[in-house]
Amino acid sequence: MSCARCSGLVVSDQYTGPEGDLFIRRCINCGAVRESRMDVQRKWPPPKRKEPRLTCATRRRKHALS
C-alpha cells in the first residue's frame, strides 16, 4: 500500500486501549496516520450552528446591556 501524501510505504499498526482495538495505517516515510474513524468523520460535513458563537466581546456587551 502506498501513502496518499508522499507515495511512501504504509504499514498497519494495532493499538489496544480502553475503547478496544484500534487499527491504524501509518506511513514509514512521512509519518502520516490514517484511521478508519477519521476517514468517516471527514466525509460528513460538521453540523451547522443555529446561533453564532459568543466571543468575549459579545458576552461583555450582553452583560453591560442587562
Side-chain angles (χ1 to χ4, degrees):
M1 186 182 295
S2 64
C3 177
R5 182 194 244 176
C6 72
S7 299
L9 177 65
V10 174
V11 295
S12 294
D13 291 336
Q14 178 182 359
Y15 296 99
T16 303
E19 296 178 0
D21 291 340
L22 182 64
F23 296 95
I24 295 176
R25 295 184 308 264
R26 179 177 50 88
C27 177
I28 298 287
N29 191 30
C30 71
V33 174
R34 298 297 299 243
E35 194 259 318
S36 59
R37 284 184 271 179
M38 291 168 46
D39 294 336
V40 169
Q41 290 174 353
R42 285 183 183 144
K43 289 179 185 177
W44 293 340
K48 293 188 178 185
R49 293 182 171 269
K50 294 180 182 176
E51 297 178 7
R53 296 183 85 182
L54 297 177
T55 61
C56 256
T58 310
R59 288 184 192 141
R60 280 190 226 122
R61 276 189 293 228
K62 279 190 170 188
H63 184 65
L65 295 175
S66 299

